[in-house]
Amino acid sequence: MKNILAPSILSCDYMNMQRDFTECKENGVKWLHVDIMDGHFVPNLSFGYSLVKSMRPVTDLVLDVHLMIDTPIKYAENFCKAGADYLTIHVEADTPENIRKTLELIRSLGVKPGIVVKPKTPAEAIEEYLPMVDMVLVMTVEPGFGGQKFMADMMPKVKKLREMLDKVNPECHLEVDGGVDLVTVNECKANGANVFVAGSAYFGSSDKKAFTVEIEK
Ligand code: DX5
Ligand code: ZN
């Protein structure tokens, strides 16, 4: 599958967001990763759907919106209407019945649904949702903050999920998020991931164009 870089705007310059999005595009970036945190599901706050809504008219990049919030069923519609292209929800954030309903709701609104697992959640926890999603996201840090150390021990889970997906949903993207840089990306690629979120590594890079090419090769 094609390799895709998704810079996390958690690490961009908040007073110059539009400039940063334009620069991303000039650097060959195709996706932006938008981290939504509610202070309950994760111990941090970030953005709401009004930011996604404001981004939509100023960038044509693919908006990959990662909901780190409890009961995403309450908010999914707003994020879809705000202009998300992909909307990923955490399996730990609600009951199985509501997770299923939320994924169906997202798809019914013309947005691509995704399911996310935290580091302690096994691959099997999302097995039933694999045929329903366009992306699976494996967290390679505990969600909540940028700039944390990559957890290499998540690689067997990435490999297992790619194998599971190949049987039931081979077109599905497999994304990794947290501590991804020019070194750790290689392990992720070797284990079958193809979408790479990078916050601090991308925005801290002195040559973002070369960074993008290297991640996507
Ligand atoms: C963490 C977020 C990540 C974060 C990644 O909870 O989901 O998307 O921005 O940041 P880096 O790449 O700095 O680890
Ligand atoms: Zn994220």
Side-chain angles (χ1 to χ4, degrees), residues 8 10 33-37 66 68 137 139 175 177-178 197:
S8 168
L10 200 59
H33 183 82
V34 185
D35 286 308
I36 309 294
M37 305 182 187
H66 174 194
M68 285 165 275
L137 167 51
M139 291 307 301
E175 181 176 50
D177 182 6
V197 177

Side-chain angles (χ1 to χ4, degrees), residues 37-88:
M37 305 182 187
D38 67 352
H40 291 276
F41 185 75
V42 289
N44 196 8
L45 291 163
S46 61
F47 321 116
Y49 40 77
S50 50
L51 179 71
V52 178
K53 196 173 173 195
S54 303
M55 287 173 76
R56 193 65 290 174
V58 303
T59 180
D60 60 2
L61 295 176
V62 171
L63 299 184
D64 165 26
V65 180
H66 174 194
L67 295 187
M68 285 165 275
I69 66 175
D70 277 326
T71 51
I73 197 158
K74 292 186 194 160
Y75 309 97
E77 186 172 351
N78 281 326
F79 282 100
C80 291
K81 291 194 170 150
D85 293 294
Y86 285 81
L87 191 62
T88 55

Side-chain angles (χ1 to χ4, degrees), residues 35 37 41-44 66 68 90 92 116-120 139-146 148 151 177:
D35 286 308
M37 305 182 187
F41 185 75
V42 289
N44 196 8
H66 174 194
M68 285 165 275
H90 272 265
E92 307 88 357
V116 195
V117 279
K118 294 208 280 189
K120 291 191 187 77
M139 291 307 301
T140 43
V141 297
E142 283 296 340
F145 301 91
Q148 302 183 76
M151 296 169 74
D177 182 6

Side-chain angles (χ1 to χ4, degrees), residues 127 134 159 188 196:
E127 189 165 13
D134 288 300
K159 188 163 187 241
C188 299
F196 308 99

Side-chain angles (χ1 to χ4, degrees), residues 86-186:
Y86 285 81
L87 191 62
T88 55
I89 62 167
H90 272 265
V91 70
E92 307 88 357
D94 210 337
T95 62
E97 191 191 352
N98 277 354
I99 292 295
R100 189 166 275 276
K101 275 192 195 154
T102 313
L103 295 172
E104 282 166 357
L105 173 69
I106 294 167
R107 185 162 312 278
S108 76
L109 293 165
V111 175
K112 296 181 171 77
I115 189 86
V116 195
V117 279
K118 294 208 280 189
K120 291 191 187 77
T121 305
E124 292 73 23
I126 56 169
E127 189 165 13
E128 65 178 291
Y129 310 111
L130 297 183
M132 305 174 66
V133 295
D134 288 300
M135 186 149 69
V136 166
L137 167 51
V138 175
M139 291 307 301
T140 43
V141 297
E142 283 296 340
F145 301 91
Q148 302 183 76
K149 192 175 177 291
F150 178 77
M151 296 169 74
D153 54 340
M154 292 299 114
M155 293 301 101
K157 182 158 75 181
V158 170
K159 188 163 187 241
K160 187 171 199 174
L161 279 164
R162 185 68 265 169
E163 285 165 7
M164 288 161 78
L165 283 170
D166 285 343
K167 290 193 189 114
V168 295
N169 188 357
E171 298 299 306
C172 185
H173 290 298
L174 182 52
E175 181 176 50
V176 282
D177 182 6
V180 177
D181 60 24
L182 291 177
V183 175
T184 57
V185 73
N186 294 314

